[in-house]
Amino acid sequence: MNGRRHLAVITALAAACPVNAADTLGQMTGFLDQERHTWHFIAFDQRQRHVSSASFRQTPYKAELILHGHAEPHFASRGGLSIEVRYKGTFDMGATPVGLDILYLPEGLRGPIWTSSNADAAPTFEITDFTVWGEVGHVEAVFFARLCLRRTIYAPTDRNTCKTLNGQIATALVAEGS
C-alpha cells in the first residue's frame, strides 16, 4: 500500500467517528525518542458492520497485516500509530516484508505527521508469534523505525527532522482470505 492509500484508509476510519463503544483487542507499546507510548487495538460497530483496527488479509498473491493503534482504548484520531506490512504470496513466519509503512499522527490527519516513508533508514518488523484460526487470529511482533516529519499529509518528508521508534505488539486480529 503506498502512502496515499495508507492515508486514505486512516481517513476512512476517521470518517467512522463517532463510535459508541469499542472492544480492546490488544496493545502496542513503543518508545518514540525514548518516551514511552501505548496504543490500543480496538474493534467497534459502525453502520451495522464490525470494524477492527488489527487485521490480516491473505489473497493468492499477497498477505497484508494492517495495525492501527489508538492512543486511548477507543477510537481517537489524535496520537495514532499505524503499521502496514505486506508480504509476497502466502504468508510464512520467516518471510521478509516486501512493503512496510509506519505512520505516527500526534495531531490526527491535520498534521504534523511522522512517517517511515523516505526516512533515512528503512523500518524493520519481525513477527515472533502468529496464528490464524478461520476469521480470527493473534500476532506478536517487534518493530523499529526512523520516522521523519511531514508538516501536512502530502508535504515532502523532512529527512533532517526525525525520531526513533521501537516497540512491540501483542494483539488479537480479524483475518480474512480470498
Side-chain angles (χ1 to χ4, degrees):
M1 183 177 294
N2 65 31
R4 289 182 191 243
R5 185 166 172 221
H6 184 86
L7 291 171
V9 169
I10 293 170
T11 302
L13 278 173
C17 283
V19 293
N20 295 330
D23 297 320
T24 300
L25 301 173
Q27 289 187 339
M28 177 166 40
T29 303
F31 292 88
L32 185 60
D33 272 356
Q34 301 176 349
E35 183 179 333
R36 183 184 170 97
H37 292 263
T38 300
W39 295 276
H40 306 269
F41 298 110
I42 60 172
F44 54 89
D45 291 321
Q46 172 205 3
R47 299 182 187 146
Q48 302 176 359
R49 201 178 85 135
H50 201 62
V51 177
S52 173
S53 71
S55 65
F56 173 77
R57 180 176 179 164
Q58 178 68 62
T59 71
Y61 307 104
K62 66 180 177 178
E64 294 177 306
L65 182 61
I66 301 174
L67 304 162
H68 298 291
H70 298 271
E72 302 293 331
H74 56 80
F75 188 92
S77 61
R78 288 181 169 199
L81 182 69
S82 177
I83 300 176
E84 295 188 12
V85 190
R86 291 163 305 288
Y87 298 90
K88 184 177 182 181
T90 302
F91 176 76
D92 179 356
M93 263 297 277
T96 301
V98 295
L100 173 57
D101 297 309
I102 302 177
L103 193 66
Y104 174 54
L105 304 163
E107 298 298 321
L109 291 173
R110 69 179 180 167
I113 293 167
W114 296 84
T115 179
S116 64
S117 179
N118 297 319
D120 54 358
T124 61
F125 188 86
E126 179 184 348
I127 294 177
T128 58
D129 186 39
F130 181 82
T131 310
V132 169
W133 312 274
E135 295 180 358
V136 297
H138 177 84
V139 66
E140 294 182 18
V142 293
F143 58 91
F144 170 83
R146 288 284 292 162
L147 301 180
C148 297
L149 179 66
R150 281 190 185 166
R151 300 215 183 274
T152 62
I153 292 173
Y154 298 112
T157 303
D158 177 357
R159 294 179 68 179
N160 294 316
T161 307
C162 301
K163 296 182 178 199
T164 300
L165 170 69
N166 60 55
Q168 63 184 16
I169 296 165
T171 189
L173 52 81
V174 172
E176 53 183 282
S178 61

